[in-house]
Amino acid sequence: MSTSSVASVHEENTSLLSGTSFPKWSLGNESQNAAVQDATCSDSAITLIQGPPGSGKTITCAEIVRRWILSSGDPVLLVAETNEGVDNLLKKLLEHGVPQEKIVRFGSSGWKVAKDLEHLTFESKYRQRVSDKRDRNRIDKKMAKRILESCKILCTTCISAGSALLEGFVFKRVLIDEASQATEPAILVSLSHGCQKLVLVGDDQQLPPMVLCELAKGPDLLTVSMFSRLRKVGLPVRMLNVQYRMHPAIALFPSSQFYDGRLHNGVSDEDRRPPAGFNWPNETKPVVFLKTPDLAQENSKASSKQNDFEARQVCEVVRELLKTGDVTSDGIGIITPYRAQLKLISDKIKEFENVSVRTVDGFQGQERDVIVFSAVRCNEHGFVGFLDDEKRMNVLLTRARRGMIVIGNKKTLEKCDLWKKWIEWVEENKLSRDCTQDDKHRVTPAVHLGEEAEEAAVLRKEDRDEADAEGPGKHLAPVLAHNRDSGEKHLNLLLKGVATS
């Protein structure tokens, strides 16, 4: 943090401790301040905060927790659906001036925590207190309790919040990030420790909970998050309405299509200059649709899809982006919806170290300077598979800071109403062009090897970090059912509080 930021935090800390009802958070915008006020000062037992892409939801979470700790000595349970989400919260807490001795990172020993966060883990704190190395692999519950009681902020995943090591602990205040990605049973586990104030932070315009079982899917089943359900029954939602990630031109279509035009820009064109060296159709709007020829058709690969022409085009684009040095390899992300295409691109892109290649689901919560998206689908029937998904489309179009490049076949994609809207927007703004002429002579007709089997659920299982079941979590299985029941009881009490407030 800068010196001025530290001074600002110190002044706010002093103001909070003096008993002022709501001292304004000087570093936050109006919508962030409103969300923090609802979470820390309102009488409502439940606060819902919607955080669109790049809107600063993680730092808003950190500010809420900081104020909770300053206003009361009671411990706080800070939860995310994924381990990566937990680590992001930890980083923001430290950047936000929360003393590290107040924090413990609790969860799976199988998750590789970033080196600069290792000292905050339960395992690290436990090893420091146990001198005999032979005893370090056996958890002494009394020692574990002392360690956990010495910290005021316990950070973990939804499922690890149900660990037997936390039995008897009371967390009256619970904040859950990535709440729109978590299933309701997972949320209930987090509420099983006497929750009296619940803050759910998420965005139900992005990907929903991952559910593999077909019987558990449906409009009233596990694919509906608690965040969405509470919104549907009328609980007010505070939307963070300023985005600080994307060039304004990149944000324009997602704001209009997915947020009714309510997502505004906190950065200017100058803050997000398009990478030099790439042939942008419009230098002031770093978005481009590279149209592939109709002969560059997809191939079936086992139960997945791939498109060799698009994979080669991705390599050409990456090479063009890197040649001037205006963007580095770790600033480029490649997204594709199909596992076979992911493998094909990964094999071709090996010459470029640190370029990240993931599916749409694997990129949720991340960002890069430039995103290159390979749509894969190109067929005479206009089948687009699970590309026809608003939430998935929102995620893929909102990962880029300085440039968004989509490679796909116009004739196929525009058969989908959703993609047709985007293509019309692109062409109205003169942001499309054909793929490079050098590649066109290499087009070969597609060989179809089998019927399509949609793989969205499988991809999400591979790319999304699953709930903890090892380390301290190995004590988990016997208590999960109890914790879900207990969490449901606390949720009912919270909802009664909302109804009477």
Side-chain angles (χ1 to χ4, degrees):
M1 296 180 76
S2 65
T3 305
S4 60
S5 297
V6 172
S8 175
V9 168
H10 176 72
E11 288 172 10
E12 288 170 10
N13 286 352
T14 304
S15 182
L16 276 165
L17 293 170
S18 70
T20 307
S21 59
F22 182 74
K24 188 177 180 181
W25 173 27
S26 62
L27 301 179
N29 61 46
E30 187 176 336
S31 65
Q32 288 173 324
N33 266 285
V36 172
Q37 183 171 11
D38 275 3
T40 58
C41 298
S42 76
D43 294 328
S44 178
I46 302 176
T47 296
L48 303 181
I49 300 173
Q50 182 180 4
S55 61
K57 72 177 179 64
T58 310
I59 196 170
T60 302
C61 291
E63 176 64 12
I64 290 168
V65 172
R66 184 179 73 87
R67 290 181 180 234
W68 274 351
I69 292 301
L70 284 168
S71 64
S72 167
D74 294 334
V76 170
L77 183 60
L78 181 56
V79 179
E81 164 67 358
T82 65
N83 274 304
E84 191 167 9
V86 176
D87 288 352
N88 288 337
L89 287 169
L90 275 174
K91 291 172 185 175
K92 284 299 179 187
L93 286 174
L94 295 176
E95 290 173 11
H96 211 51
V98 176
Q100 59 184 19
E101 62 271 14
K102 291 181 180 289
I103 305 169
V104 62
R105 204 282 192 213
F106 184 81
S108 172
S109 57
W111 171 254
K112 183 65 176 174
V113 177
K115 254 196 171 342
D116 56 340
L117 298 176
E118 283 180 354
H119 64 290
L120 299 175
T121 63
F122 170 81
E123 289 83 2
S124 174
K125 293 176 185 286
Y126 189 85
R127 286 195 297 268
Q128 290 172 16
R129 297 202 183 194
V130 177
S131 55
D132 191 336
K133 291 184 179 180
R134 292 172 299 179
D135 293 333
R136 290 180 178 178
N137 293 324
R138 296 194 302 268
I139 296 178
D140 182 313
K141 288 190 176 182
K142 289 183 178 178
M143 175 73 76
K145 186 178 180 182
R146 286 197 294 272
I147 293 170
L148 295 172
E149 284 179 339
S150 69
C151 299
K152 292 301 180 184
I153 306 170
L154 189 142
C155 303
T156 189
T157 60
C158 293
I159 297 301
S160 284
S163 170
L165 291 176
L166 297 180
E167 194 172 341
F169 279 81
V170 175
F171 297 99
K172 295 178 182 178
R173 296 167 298 179
V174 179
L175 187 149
I176 303 177
D177 193 13
E178 302 178 328
S180 55
Q181 293 177 242
T183 62
E184 285 188 302
I187 296 284
L188 291 175
V189 170
S190 306
L191 306 185
S192 62
H193 300 282
C195 177
Q196 295 179 13
K197 173 66 181 184
L198 171 64
V199 176
L200 295 178
V201 184
D203 183 11
D204 46 5
Q205 291 301 309
Q206 297 187 64
L207 294 175
M210 179 182 68
V211 178
L212 300 180
C213 175
E214 291 297 325
L215 293 175
K217 296 179 180 179
D220 295 313
L221 299 175
L222 292 184
T223 49
V224 180
S225 66
M226 184 181 291
F227 187 100
S228 296
R229 205 180 294 278
L230 292 175
R231 179 202 283 269
K232 190 175 180 179
V233 299
L235 263 70
V237 178
R238 284 288 185 184
M239 176 177 152
L240 307 180
N241 63 9
V242 182
Q243 71 84 19
Y244 300 93
R245 173 185 299 166
M246 299 167 274
H247 185 288
I250 299 173
L252 190 58
F253 181 85
S255 175
S256 173
Q257 179 66 30
F258 308 118
Y259 300 101
D260 299 321
R262 295 187 298 133
L263 185 60
H264 307 297
N265 297 308
V267 291
S268 66
D269 295 14
E270 199 59 36
D271 295 325
R272 296 289 183 268
R273 291 179 300 100
F278 184 78
N279 181 18
W280 302 100
N282 185 336
E283 288 289 348
T284 66
K285 295 180 178 178
V287 177
V288 61
F289 178 35
L290 297 181
K291 296 178 290 185
T292 64
D294 295 341
L295 283 176
Q297 294 197 4
E298 69 202 48
N299 289 328
S300 294
K301 181 76 172 178
S303 61
S304 189
K305 298 286 182 186
Q306 66 179 35
N307 189 312
D308 188 66
F309 178 86
E310 285 193 16
R312 293 198 304 268
Q313 188 66 30
V314 166
C315 293
E316 296 287 341
V317 167
V318 171
R319 190 173 288 111
E320 191 175 347
L321 285 166
L322 292 174
K323 67 185 178 185
T324 65
D326 190 25
V327 63
T328 57
S329 58
D330 58 359
I332 299 174
I334 300 169
I335 302 178
T336 186
Y338 290 95
R339 185 173 39 179
Q341 185 74 349
L342 186 149
K343 185 178 186 307
L344 182 63
I345 291 173
S346 296
D347 289 343
K348 291 180 181 295
I349 211 87
K350 285 179 180 176
E351 62 180 287
F352 308 113
E353 292 185 8
N354 301 321
V355 174
S356 180
V357 187
R358 294 195 183 188
T359 63
V360 180
D361 306 73
F363 242 105
Q364 175 146 309
Q366 297 197 36
E367 60 184 61
R368 294 292 188 276
D369 282 334
V370 182
I371 291 293
V372 184
F373 176 68
S374 169
V376 179
R377 304 311 299 260
C378 179
N379 56 75
E380 59 189 20
H381 304 293
F383 295 151
V384 298
F386 52 74
L387 283 178
D388 187 9
D389 183 317
E390 278 210 354
K391 295 182 178 183
R392 183 169 274 106
M393 188 179 191
N394 185 20
V395 172
L396 75 90
L397 291 178
T398 55
R399 304 302 99 195
R401 289 188 288 259
R402 298 173 57 197
M404 180 73 223
I405 301 167
V406 175
I407 302 171
N409 180 255
K410 176 185 174 182
K411 189 173 178 180
T412 299
L413 292 178
E414 67 183 2
K415 293 289 177 64
C416 165
D417 289 342
L418 182 61
W419 277 94
K420 185 178 181 181
K421 288 181 184 177
W422 183 80
I423 291 170
E424 287 174 350
W425 176 81
V426 160
E427 295 195 329
E428 282 172 11
N429 288 276
K430 297 180 172 54
L431 301 176
S432 66
R433 63 177 173 86
D434 291 336
C435 288
T436 56
Q437 293 295 322
D438 290 345
D439 261 352
K440 284 196 173 180
H441 72 277
R442 291 187 283 177
V443 175
T444 54
V447 179
H448 293 279
L449 304 177
E451 296 296 322
E452 175 182 17
E454 297 294 14
E455 53 184 311
V458 177
L459 287 168
R460 299 197 75 186
K461 186 175 187 299
E462 291 177 352
D463 287 324
R464 288 265 307 273
D465 169 46
E466 292 190 85
D468 302 321
E470 301 296 334
K474 67 186 177 183
H475 305 281
L476 203 60
V479 296
L480 277 180
H482 166 75
N483 283 331
R484 281 196 296 268
D485 292 342
S486 177
E488 188 170 0
K489 179 184 74 176
H490 286 293
L491 177 62
N492 288 332
L493 290 172
L494 289 171
L495 288 171
K496 286 180 181 178
V498 170
T500 57
S501 62

